Amino acid sequence: MALQQYLETHKERFLNELLDLLRIPSVSADPAFKNDVAKTAEFVKDNLIAAGADNVEVCPTNGHPIVYADKIIDPTLPTILVYGHYDVQPADPIELWDSGPFDPIIKKTDVHPDGAIFARGACDDKGQAFMHIKAFEGMLATDSLPCNVKFMIEGEEEVGSVHLGQFCNDNKERLSCDMILVSDTSIIANDTPSITVGLRGLSYIEVEVIGPNRDLHSGVYGGAVANPINVLAKMIASLQDEDNKITIPGFYDDVAIVTDQERAEMNKAPFDIEHYKKDLVIGDVHGEKGYTTIERASIRPTLDCNGIWGGYIGEGAKTVLPSKAFAKISMRLVPNQSSDVITELFKKHFESIAPDSVQVIVRPHHGGEAAVTPTDTPEYQAAYKAMQKTYGKNPLPARGGGSIPIVALFEKVLGVKTVLMGFGLNSDDIHSPNEHYGLFNFYKGIETIPYFYKYYTELKSK
Ligand code: BES
Ligand code: MN
Ligand code: MN
């Protein structure tokens, strides 16, 4: 049977298997889900075995396990290493979901008239990683796998891939390959395919501001003792100036300058700012002076407060001057900035701006480096040709604003380049309530991947 026909015949089953995968709540951040994360690894393993992979193994780490598998048909042929993640973000706030985050349902939307799967992880990244297993199954079943393939599907991407670097180091031989193929990013639109050519880095920090040694009556002490929440709010606000530039000394020192030509090029990508505002129900966009929205969300570094808490947040009013306030702050970094350096600069600066009336503790979380992927490589060309074939349009190169810290590490540890051939949409609400993934996107991915294999093998053997 021909591959296209095989994929068509087994469409329903592919979808049902993905729905089963989405039913397991593999939230890596929350220890309460540890068993479910392990169960998900087993599911991925069983699915790879059923697809016909060899050496399928759930590899334990000091955190969540990594699923490895391969199919070596001829050692003289190129080897593609497929990377993905089976862990997902927490579903909170659960009350904002229209249906259960782990009870996948299919609904039509304006953007996805053929229907979309609503569930945590549908797009990021279970749905996208699963396309690779199904494409592989199809190629094997129809005797059309043109090269060797290895799979590395991890369970800690959403918590910073903390144990993956060690795993790569310990398994250099087993993971040796010619390139890494990742579907964990987005395209511009379903009628505008694109290939991600850059990712931002990340520095993630938690801060604690400590005022008086105990909660106080806000009438008896208010006005005379520093309120840590007020102080924290002021400190955070001061981290950006009126042009929305970050005020941490040295923050921009290492930022790689993008040429005017490159900027002009990226701003040609289809982007409707009115639609953007309407979709998000915002009166206006916001950001660093001198840059467009596309640039602000890709080639420029940022600083955002991800969460802030302290004091009384229950029903009604309680007059209290709280003893402590907390915040989680992330900085998105661009090529050439170092996550460790930025974390250190932040720490020094944040401690230095604290008034004597409070104490400040800065706790660094995970980080990661930015990445840029070149376009003059056989792997990029193969992705280009594959998307051109299945979308009937030339894909555009696009920088992504998110982070996949392991991409920089792959290059460093394994010495290989990555291709970011994702199929999601930025409007798919990843990390948000009602995350979804279009059926069109799911099937388009499965259809495109085998072309990637074919073109890559052809280009490499030239
Ligand atoms: N798949 C995303 C990254 C992504 C999404 C890149 C869309 C480009 C476009 C990934 O799962 C993710 O969410 N990464 C985290 C970083 C991690 C260290 C927690 C992120 O970007 O916040
Ligand atoms: Mn992801
Ligand atoms: Mn994610």
Side-chain angles (χ1 to χ4, degrees):
M1 198 195 282
L3 175 60
Q4 291 310 322
Q5 196 190 338
Y6 182 92
L7 299 180
E8 189 57 39
T9 311
H10 295 273
K11 244 176 129 154
E12 276 308 304
R13 175 173 56 82
F14 292 173
L15 176 60
N16 285 325
E17 288 177 10
L18 173 59
L19 299 183
D20 282 340
L21 173 60
L22 292 168
R23 286 189 184 99
I24 324 175
S26 51
V27 179
S28 50
D30 185 346
F33 293 90
K34 195 171 190 301
N35 285 337
D36 292 302
V37 175
K39 244 193 249 169
T40 312
E42 290 297 327
F43 182 104
V44 173
K45 172 186 149 188
D46 292 342
N47 209 278
L48 278 160
I49 293 174
D54 299 326
N55 302 308
V56 190
E57 192 186 327
V58 172
C59 311
T61 70
N62 283 333
H64 300 302
I66 296 161
V67 185
Y68 174 87
D70 62 33
K71 192 84 196 176
I72 308 299
I73 54 170
D74 176 353
T76 64
L77 285 169
T79 302
I80 294 173
L81 192 151
V82 174
Y83 164 82
H85 63 96
Y86 66 80
D87 66 319
V88 301
Q89 285 276 325
D92 313 60
I94 265 178
E95 65 280 8
L96 297 184
W97 284 75
D98 296 329
S99 54
F102 302 106
D103 299 315
I105 60 158
I106 293 166
K107 276 195 307 195
K108 293 186 166 116
T109 72
D110 289 347
V111 178
H112 295 293
D114 299 340
I117 311 157
F118 282 77
R120 172 57 85 232
C123 175
D124 184 13
D125 179 44
K126 283 173 169 172
Q128 297 207 59
F130 199 64
M131 300 178 318
H132 283 271
I133 306 182
K134 296 301 100 178
F136 168 72
E137 177 197 312
M139 287 185 277
L140 261 194
T142 57
D143 215 8
S144 57
L145 180 69
C147 62
N148 306 312
V149 53
K150 296 179 177 177
F151 288 90
M152 176 167 63
I153 316 288
E154 72 151 320
E156 295 192 309
E157 197 278 340
E158 299 292 9
V159 287
S161 303
V162 265
H163 299 99
L164 193 59
Q166 188 65 48
F167 181 79
C168 290
N169 250 312
D170 295 346
N171 290 273
K172 275 188 188 153
E173 195 52 41
R174 178 149 66 150
L175 300 174
S176 70
C177 60
D178 294 280
M179 60 139 321
I180 293 168
L181 179 59
V182 181
S183 295
D184 192 22
T185 53
S186 43
I187 52 173
I188 292 172
N190 279 352
D191 60 2
T192 314
S194 58
I195 301 169
T196 303
V197 291
L199 291 164
R200 288 196 280 196
L202 184 69
S203 163
Y204 201 108
I205 283 152
E206 197 163 319
V207 297
E208 180 174 349
V209 175
I210 307 166
N213 66 348
R214 57 192 188 273
D215 284 6
L216 303 173
H217 188 288
S218 69
V220 176
Y221 289 96
V225 175
N227 178 324
I229 300 180
N230 296 23
V231 171
L232 176 59
K234 227 178 181 168
M235 288 171 76
I236 293 174
S238 80
L239 297 175
Q240 273 142 340
D241 68 14
E242 57 285 5
D243 292 336
N244 293 314
K245 298 248 179 227
I246 293 153
T247 57
I248 299 168
F251 184 85
Y252 292 100
D253 283 3
D254 297 329
V255 167
I257 305 295
V258 177
T259 62
D260 288 348
Q261 193 200 337
E262 222 179 307
R263 287 177 65 185
E265 208 52 51
M266 70 176 63
N267 283 303
K268 279 188 204 152
F271 176 71
D272 179 351
I273 197 141
E274 290 312 317
H275 178 265
Y276 188 83
K277 290 195 274 191
K278 215 172 131 207
D279 177 47
L280 300 175
V281 197
I282 49 174
D284 203 357
V285 293
H286 163 101
E288 188 182 356
K289 198 175 169 185
Y291 294 91
T292 64
T293 297
I294 289 183
E295 291 166 347
R296 288 168 178 171
S298 62
I299 58 162
R300 296 299 296 168
T302 64
L303 185 150
D304 277 292
C305 181
N306 296 250
I308 182 162
W309 70 102
Y312 181 70
I313 53 165
E315 282 294 313
K318 179 189 181 199
T319 47
V320 62
L321 194 162
S323 161
K324 289 179 177 183
F326 303 83
K328 291 181 195 277
I329 293 168
S330 70
M331 288 167 283
R332 293 284 168 177
L333 311 177
V334 297
N336 217 29
Q337 280 184 302
S338 146
S339 159
D340 284 346
V341 169
I342 292 295
T343 299
E344 203 37 54
L345 288 177
F346 177 95
K347 189 173 187 307
K348 243 173 74 191
H349 178 67
F350 206 74
E351 287 165 355
S352 80
I353 60 173
D356 290 342
S357 53
V358 298
Q359 248 180 288
V360 161
I361 303 174
V362 177
R363 296 187 183 93
H365 277 265
H366 52 254
E369 309 307 339
V372 265
T373 61
T375 55
D376 57 351
T377 59
E379 43 272 26
Y380 184 87
Q381 291 309 319
Y384 185 92
K385 284 182 71 177
M387 281 190 147
Q388 191 181 44
K389 173 84 183 168
T390 58
Y391 285 86
K393 274 192 175 177
N394 296 344
L396 302 167
R399 291 252 210 141
S403 309
I404 309 178
I406 204 65
V407 171
L409 245 137
F410 285 149
E411 185 156 5
K412 210 167 115 190
V413 178
L414 301 175
V416 283
K417 297 272 184 214
T418 296
V419 165
L420 299 160
M421 190 171 72
F423 294 90
L425 296 181
N426 282 345
S427 58
D428 284 346
D429 291 322
I430 64 171
H431 294 207
S432 301
N434 304 313
E435 173 177 353
H436 53 282
Y437 190 41
L439 291 176
F440 169 87
N441 305 66
F442 178 60
Y443 291 122
K444 192 57 98 182
I446 298 175
E447 183 193 348
T448 308
I449 291 162
Y451 284 108
F452 178 89
Y453 279 57
K454 177 175 165 350
Y455 296 137
Y456 180 67
T457 307
E458 286 171 9
L459 285 165
K460 279 296 271 192
S461 42
K462 262 189 193 156

